[in-house]
Amino acid sequence: MAVERRLEEALDDEELSHMLGGEVALLFGQVLVANVEGARWCVWPNGHPVVRVGRTELDVTEIADAYICRHGEPPTAVVDRYRFAGA
């Protein structure tokens, strides 16, 4: 993902940094849905969006925030793990 290559630049941008987590989460979810067979958007009863892959619900917001704060794996690693799990 281009976000991974340009994270430092995006974090330094005052206009972009405050909304970066939500934007990365949305992009990450779309990449999952487009590239992982059977992945689809779902909404928890509280209105929180997640991506369901099989029986697993991925909280894309949590994954994106962890990555941005530097204590989570890159979104592409998550996509690859689920994409190749079914192969």
Side-chain angles (χ1 to χ4, degrees):
M1 289 172 71
V3 169
E4 291 175 10
R5 292 189 299 273
R6 301 186 69 188
L7 181 61
E8 286 299 323
E9 181 182 344
L11 287 171
D12 289 340
D13 184 324
E14 289 182 25
E15 292 181 26
L16 181 62
S17 63
H18 73 280
M19 62 182 179
L20 191 57
E23 293 296 317
V24 171
L26 179 60
L27 177 61
F28 172 46
Q30 287 300 105
V31 170
L32 278 167
V33 170
N35 290 286
V36 177
E37 187 175 334
R40 62 186 175 88
W41 283 103
C42 294
V43 179
W44 286 342
N46 66 0
H48 188 76
V50 296
V51 173
R52 179 174 287 159
V53 180
R55 294 183 180 186
T56 303
E57 289 183 341
L58 299 173
D59 184 343
V60 292
T61 303
E62 182 179 308
I63 294 167
D65 286 344
Y67 171 68
I68 291 167
C69 293
R70 308 260 194 297
H71 57 82
E73 66 183 321
T76 52
V78 178
V79 171
D80 287 346
R81 183 171 60 245
Y82 284 93
R83 180 174 41 187
F84 297 124

